[in-house]
Amino acid sequence: MKRLLPLLAVLLSLPLLGSQCDSGVLFEEITPTDLAAPIAVAVDTAKRRAYVVNSNNTFEFTTTHFSILDLADPANPVLLDDARNPVPFPNFSGQIYLDSAAGIAYTPNRQSDNPDDITDALLAIHVDEASADFGTVDSFTAGENPFGIACCDALGRLYVVNSGGDGDGTLDVYDPADLSTFVRISLAVASDNFGTFNGEASTEVAFLGDRAFVTSRFGNIYVINTNEVGDTSKNPIDAVVFNDHDGDYRGLATDGTLLYVVDADENNNDGLPAVRVIDPSLIPAVDPDVPTILELDIGVVQSTLVSLPKDGLPNEIAIFGGRAYVSNQDDNTVSVIDLATNSLVTNITVGDEPFGITPFTIDGVSLVYVTNIRTNSISIIDPATNTVINTFAP
């Protein structure tokens, strides 16, 4: 994960981007209407608002912010006309979870002025426009290099995946009523058959029943029993699904029955990159009093594999209307998969370096928002026609 290094290190390590060379400015000022490497979007359909995490993860701009869009016309979003919008915001934030009822958007943030720092932040942004706190950002302790976030388990808890780096990868579990404390689960695993893993490069988390699933770019899927989280007498990691062909697991999503995992591995001899369709019912429950972690090969739990564009570098995945949408960062497309047949329907060309995907429906009209990191824009897809009908690029 990219972190904010001291200024000299940044100057020495960053390539000059084309736009910077043209302007003669290394770090450009960002205007209130700009997007800056948007990486994630959450939509409140009732309030007709979209909340955009601008990561500025290429460090093209001097600063960045959190943008709020008015969706009076969802196909033609505009920046919310409020003096408090956009909200000043740290660089290098990750995914987003929106608690609409509480009026808070949560995002992990890995900005640090110390490359050896193993403590980063969970940010809580107040988005209730009627509140005096609107536009304020609270910061709470997270682990090293947090990125993935999801809510909620049966107890309403928030899960944040820390990919690690100098330390082990971890999973932090928060009660939103008190973010000052959390339960930390180490993702370090000593496997009998697949080697030892420190949990580094763990990426995203999703819930299905009383389990949380965490992906790793080293080709692992952790299976967490959420009922055991916080009970120090039990190991909440029930199982780890390994891949003896390596693998690079990133985004994951569920349709309520199956789990869909993006494998960005470029080993095309095995049909990769691809979406792996996992049947969680094939992962046995583990006796909570037994500390041993169940080890499973991916072939035992995988029902099928849907190939994606070669060299596309897929990242995020979203399930919507019986289809899966996958962002392919390197070939600037979104793949559409029919879940009834587990077949590729089409690849839709969007902006440069697509990443975050957010489908939603307002007033019976369905759309898919796709964030484009390099072109600082959001492509708006009509899922009925699989075409881009607009691009939000203020």
Side-chain angles (χ1 to χ4, degrees):
M1 294 295 182
K2 182 169 283 191
R3 306 171 70 89
L4 181 61
L5 303 176
L7 181 59
L8 178 60
V10 173
L11 292 173
L12 292 175
S13 63
L14 275 178
L16 291 175
L17 301 179
S19 61
Q20 294 166 334
C21 293
D22 293 342
S23 66
V25 177
L26 182 58
F27 301 123
E28 298 181 357
E29 292 292 337
I30 189 170
T31 72
T33 60
D34 284 332
L35 300 182
I39 199 166
V41 178
V43 171
D44 186 330
T45 57
K47 294 183 175 67
R48 306 180 83 101
R49 296 287 185 263
Y51 303 94
V52 183
V53 175
N54 292 288
S55 66
N56 192 22
N57 62 0
T58 57
F59 209 54
E60 180 179 353
F61 301 96
T62 55
T63 59
T64 193
H65 50 228
F66 180 83
S67 301
I68 303 173
L69 308 184
D70 184 341
L71 305 187
D73 179 358
N76 295 277
V78 297
L79 194 71
L80 176 67
D81 185 12
D82 188 300
R84 299 165 292 180
N85 178 48
V87 178
F89 196 65
N91 302 300
F92 308 139
S93 290
Q95 291 185 327
I96 183 173
Y97 166 69
L98 174 66
D99 185 340
S100 180
I104 297 177
Y106 300 91
T107 184
N109 178 267
R110 57 196 186 277
Q111 176 171 294
S112 175
D113 59 2
N114 182 351
D116 297 322
D117 204 348
I118 60 172
T119 300
D120 289 308
L122 170 64
L123 304 179
I125 307 100
H126 295 267
V127 297
D128 181 356
E129 296 161 35
S131 169
D133 292 330
F134 175 67
T136 60
V137 181
D138 298 325
S139 181
F140 301 90
T141 299
E144 183 182 14
N145 284 332
F147 179 78
I149 187 169
C151 196
C152 303
D153 66 8
L155 296 180
R157 293 176 295 188
L158 185 73
Y159 288 54
V160 174
V161 182
N162 305 297
S163 69
D166 294 322
D168 292 347
T170 58
L171 181 67
D172 289 344
V173 181
Y174 297 82
D175 178 353
D178 181 9
L179 296 173
S180 63
T181 62
F182 52 84
V183 174
R184 174 160 291 170
I185 301 169
S186 172
L187 298 176
V189 172
S191 163
D192 292 334
N193 301 310
F194 298 95
T196 300
F197 302 87
N198 69 353
E200 185 178 356
S202 296
T203 306
E204 302 191 20
V205 57
F207 298 102
L208 186 55
D210 60 359
R211 287 169 162 176
F213 298 85
V214 177
T215 54
S216 164
R217 293 185 60 183
F218 287 154
N220 310 328
I221 303 172
Y222 297 87
V223 184
I224 314 294
N225 186 331
T226 59
N227 295 323
E228 296 174 16
V229 172
D231 186 339
T232 56
S233 69
K234 299 172 184 175
N235 180 4
I237 302 179
D238 276 359
V240 180
V241 178
F242 294 97
N243 185 354
D244 60 4
H245 299 294
D246 297 323
D248 181 356
Y249 299 159
R250 301 190 179 199
L252 75 165
T254 178
D255 62 359
T257 301
L258 301 174
L259 198 66
Y260 299 84
V261 178
V262 174
D263 187 348
D265 194 324
E266 300 295 348
N267 181 3
N268 290 281
N269 292 329
D270 291 336
L272 300 175
V275 171
R276 295 183 180 274
V277 183
I278 307 299
D279 185 350
S281 69
L282 299 177
I283 304 174
V286 175
D287 186 332
D289 297 321
V290 177
T292 303
I293 295 173
L294 180 66
E295 299 177 13
L296 297 170
D297 184 271
I298 188 71
V300 174
V301 299
Q302 177 178 298
S303 61
T304 192
L305 182 110
V306 184
S307 296
L308 296 171
K310 180 179 179 180
D311 302 323
L313 190 62
N315 274 290
E316 300 292 83
I317 182 170
I319 306 297
F320 184 68
R323 291 184 168 181
Y325 297 84
V326 183
S327 58
N328 300 302
Q329 188 173 352
D330 278 2
D331 78 345
N332 306 326
T333 66
V334 169
S335 292
V336 182
I337 297 170
D338 185 335
L339 300 187
T341 59
N342 285 322
S343 59
L344 182 66
V345 176
T346 189
N347 296 306
I348 306 168
T349 299
V350 290
D352 289 354
E353 296 189 13
F355 197 88
I357 302 181
T358 305
F360 63 94
T361 300
I362 292 181
D363 294 340
V365 177
S366 296
L367 297 170
V368 180
Y369 280 9
V370 180
T371 65
N372 303 305
I373 291 175
R374 174 56 60 183
T375 46
N376 302 318
S377 65
I378 297 174
S379 295
I380 300 173
I381 295 173
D382 178 355
T385 61
N386 289 325
T387 57
V388 175
I389 60 171
N390 196 10
T391 299
F392 178 71

